[in-house]
Every structure is written in structure tokens, then in C-alpha cells.
Amino acid sequence: MTTQQLTEEAISLLKRLIETQSFSSEEDKTAQLIEAWFIQKNIPYTRTKNNVWATNKYFTEGKPTMLLNSHHDTVKPNNGYTKDPLKAIVEDGKLYGLGSNDAGGCLVSLIATFTYFYDKPNLKYNLVIVASAEEESSGPNGLNSMLSIIPKIDVAIVGEPTLMNLAIAEKGLVVFDAKVKGTPSHAAHPNNDNAIYNTIEVLNWFKDYKFDRPSEALGDVKMTVSQISAGKQHNAIPAEVELVIDVRVNDKYTNAEINDILVKEAPCTEIVARSLRLNSSSIPKDHELVKAGIEIGRTTYGSPTLSDQSVLSCSSLKLGPGDSTRSHSADEFIYLNEIEEGVAIYIQLLEKIL
């Protein structure tokens, strides 16, 4: 089958995926569509919950193994949509629909690429593809749950919209819940220990705090107070203020180190991390996969957004068609020629190293 035929079939699959609801943890119907692709291509596959995966025909023990991964779950559409989010609409070279850009275009391009290489003998790497679930929710039954099931991975390409440039590093994420306490009282009486006023100093601390290890690829750790909650009625000063702090971690820190710093230094009454498992990830600039990408004209950068890279311990490269700024937006779309380019570049890249 030619690359053009594979691309046309990949676009057709993406249209069906768009028109099949697949919110995180509800991906059973899109998993069936992906199964149908492998059945049609006579490629043996396994479905584990809503994750669908396969290995290349000549998988050989002892060879290094490369993972090709993207996800088929989506966020829920926001209220700004003017088009039906569950209808695949083509206008002016754009394919509109929920999940078209994040990450349907990447997923179908990688499925087409895997299919292209599936029955080629004597590859340098074994190939494993995982069309994964629960990426958007960082759920327990996504790619993280597959790592003990699929063969051991040595390097990975994670399909997320990067304009087909090479995201050689990605920030990790730690979300903290914090409390600032004070003395509750009636609003009519003096109170020098108002929890809300006490929060002013705490907010300024978070705003001004600087982590001292910048990263060449990812820049500084970014810490943002993203939620605040206090009080139930106008005439009662609350006992505490609740904060949520979003920390995007560069590759110079582990999540555990960030946790230790904030627990020790943040001027809160209490601060607790929700999870430390979504670590930063990267691939060496001198890795052959990166070198091959540079040779075919792709540029490198560090990505501030989170993906399933965060659950991988091996070197991983984020690469895919589409533009990250369109993800989770109203009237989400991907250009059809971006998918064409995606399949072509994935194949060109892998041909250089396989």
C-alpha cells in the first residue's frame, strides 16, 4: 500500500473517530474503530481495556524496542463551539471536530506509519504501537497501565501536536493543595488574624518565588496559583483559605524535589501534593532519533504542556501534526495537509533509523 493510500485511509479513520464520542474513560467505541483498522490490515493486536496495541510482524527478542503512542480520548467540548464538536466537517482544507488536533491527527498518522513498517523485515528496532486511553484525565487505565503489559520500551515517539517539530523535553506537573489559616469571627468585630488577609503574603510569595535551576530546553520551573476558595457568607470571616498551586517542572528537578522545597519553604499552614508521578521527560539531543529529525529539517524545542511522556522512564520524543495552541479550543481543527505531512515525515524519520 502506498503512503498516499495510507494517508487517505488515516484521514477517513480520523473522521470516524471525531464522530464517535470518546471522553476520557469512555473510549470503548473509538477503541472498536481502531480494532477495525488492524483487522482490515490483517495485523494481530491486543485490546487491554480501552488501549489497543500491536507489535511489528518481525518483532525479535534482543532488539531495542521503539514505542509509537498517541491517545484516542478527548476532553469535553467547551461552550464556545459554533460547530457540532462530534461532526467531522471539512472546510477550506481544515478538518473540524473534537479531538481532530488533540490528538486524532497524530494518532491516525502514527497508525498509518506503523502499518507502513509492520511487515518490513530486518528493522533495527522492534516497533510497538499503543493507541491509549485516559490521557486527558491522567487516568489509571491509560498508557501508564500498559507499561507492565507491552514489551520493555527503549525509546518512544509520543504523538501530540508539535507542527512536526521535535519536542525534545517536556515539563512535568505537580498540583498542590494548600491552606492558609486564621481566626474565624463575625465580620463586624476586629480581627487581626483574618485568613483572607493572611493569604496576601502567601500569594505574593508564590508570585515572586524563583527556582534557581533553569533548563536549556524548558526554561524555568513555572509556579501558578490557579484556584482560591474561602468563605460562605458575607458576615463571617472564614477559618481558612484553600489554594491550588500548579507547578510545571523542568528537567533540572524531580517532582519529589519540588515537593520538598514547597513543604519546607512555602508560608502556608499546610501544603500537600496530589501526585508526584507526572515527571518531566526528555531525550538527549545527540540521540539518533533527534539527529535524524534535524537532518530532515525539523527544529527542536522544549514543550510546556503535559502528555503521556510523563509516565515514561525511557527517552522519549514528542512529535506530531497539528498545533498545540488549537488543543482544547472551540471549533478545534487540523489541516488535512498537516496529516499528509505528518505521515510523510514520520515515515521519512523512521526510514533513517530503522
Side-chain angles (χ1 to χ4, degrees):
M1 181 174 289
T2 66
T3 301
Q4 181 178 351
Q5 288 173 311
L6 276 172
T7 302
E8 290 172 356
E9 292 191 16
I11 291 171
S12 178
L13 173 60
L14 178 53
K15 291 176 180 177
R16 295 194 297 276
L17 290 171
I18 288 169
E19 296 191 342
T20 305
Q21 181 176 301
S22 57
F23 303 147
S24 288
S25 305
E26 301 174 15
E27 313 95 342
D28 53 309
K29 297 294 192 299
T30 47
Q32 291 174 11
L33 294 175
I34 296 163
E35 289 181 285
W37 172 287
F38 289 124
I39 292 169
Q40 183 187 30
K41 305 301 181 192
N42 295 313
I43 297 175
Y45 70 91
T46 302
R47 176 170 170 176
T48 306
K49 295 188 175 177
N50 289 332
N51 303 281
V52 183
W53 64 281
T55 61
N56 63 304
K57 184 174 182 178
Y58 298 106
F59 189 100
T60 304
E61 294 294 334
K63 283 185 181 181
T65 298
M66 179 183 297
L67 170 68
L68 307 179
N69 163 250
S70 192
H71 63 94
H72 58 104
D73 64 314
T74 72
V75 296
K76 293 183 179 180
N78 65 51
N79 292 332
Y81 266 82
T82 65
K83 302 177 185 296
D84 185 343
L86 295 179
K87 186 170 178 60
I89 299 169
V90 177
E91 292 179 359
D92 300 323
K94 301 175 183 177
L95 174 57
Y96 288 91
L98 184 65
S100 56
N101 181 79
D102 182 16
C106 303
L107 175 64
V108 300
S109 297
L110 281 172
I111 289 174
T113 301
F114 174 83
T115 303
Y116 178 86
F117 286 103
Y118 166 72
D119 60 0
K120 295 190 182 303
N122 304 315
L123 298 179
K124 179 180 173 182
Y125 283 84
N126 294 317
L127 293 178
V128 178
I129 188 164
V130 178
S132 55
E134 296 191 8
E135 190 272 349
E136 295 290 3
S137 61
S138 299
N141 297 313
L143 180 62
N144 53 308
S145 70
M146 299 300 299
L147 300 179
S148 62
I149 296 172
I150 63 176
K152 179 181 178 296
I153 302 302
D154 297 283
V155 66
I157 296 176
V158 176
E160 289 283 338
T162 70
L163 294 171
M164 290 309 292
N165 287 314
L166 312 168
I168 60 172
E170 173 187 274
K171 283 188 172 178
L173 171 65
V174 189
V175 178
F176 291 89
D177 293 296
K179 292 181 180 179
V180 180
K181 294 193 176 183
T183 302
S185 71
H186 194 295
H189 300 306
N191 186 335
N192 294 323
D193 189 31
N194 184 318
I196 293 175
Y197 292 160
N198 293 345
T199 304
I200 295 171
E201 178 185 348
V202 176
L203 292 175
N204 282 327
W205 186 90
F206 281 115
K207 180 172 71 74
D208 296 335
Y209 188 87
K210 300 295 182 186
F211 293 90
D212 59 9
R213 293 184 227 159
S215 161
E216 179 183 353
L218 294 172
D220 293 325
V221 174
K222 186 176 187 299
M223 182 161 62
T224 306
V225 177
S226 57
Q227 292 177 258
I228 184 167
S229 176
K232 296 182 178 178
Q233 57 194 56
H234 75 89
N235 59 354
I237 295 172
E240 63 185 24
V241 177
E242 297 178 345
L243 305 176
V244 177
I245 300 99
D246 179 295
V247 185
R248 304 289 167 152
V249 185
N250 68 20
D251 53 347
K252 298 299 182 181
Y253 293 87
T254 66
N255 288 357
E257 286 179 298
I258 296 293
N259 180 69
D260 290 344
I261 290 169
L262 292 192
V263 168
K264 180 180 178 181
E265 299 187 27
C268 305
T269 310
E270 177 183 316
I271 185 165
V272 179
R274 294 181 181 178
S275 169
L276 299 179
R277 68 183 180 87
L278 301 176
N279 284 286
S280 62
S281 52
S282 63
I283 188 170
K285 290 186 76 172
D286 61 357
H287 192 283
E288 62 179 337
L289 197 56
V290 178
K291 287 182 175 179
I294 293 171
E295 286 174 9
I296 62 175
R298 314 320 296 172
T299 59
T300 63
Y301 74 103
S303 172
T305 57
L306 198 70
S307 75
D308 268 335
Q309 276 187 288
S310 63
V311 304
L312 298 173
S313 57
C314 64
S315 293
S316 57
L317 175 68
K318 185 157 69 176
L319 174 68
D323 186 337
S324 179
T325 62
R326 300 182 209 134
S327 299
H328 304 183
S329 64
D331 296 337
E332 180 183 348
F333 71 88
I334 189 168
Y335 288 99
L336 293 174
N337 63 12
E338 288 177 329
I339 301 172
E340 294 165 1
E341 180 188 54
V343 175
I345 290 175
Y346 278 143
I347 289 175
Q348 186 181 7
L349 176 68
L350 293 186
E351 281 182 330
K352 294 183 75 68
I353 67 170
L354 292 181

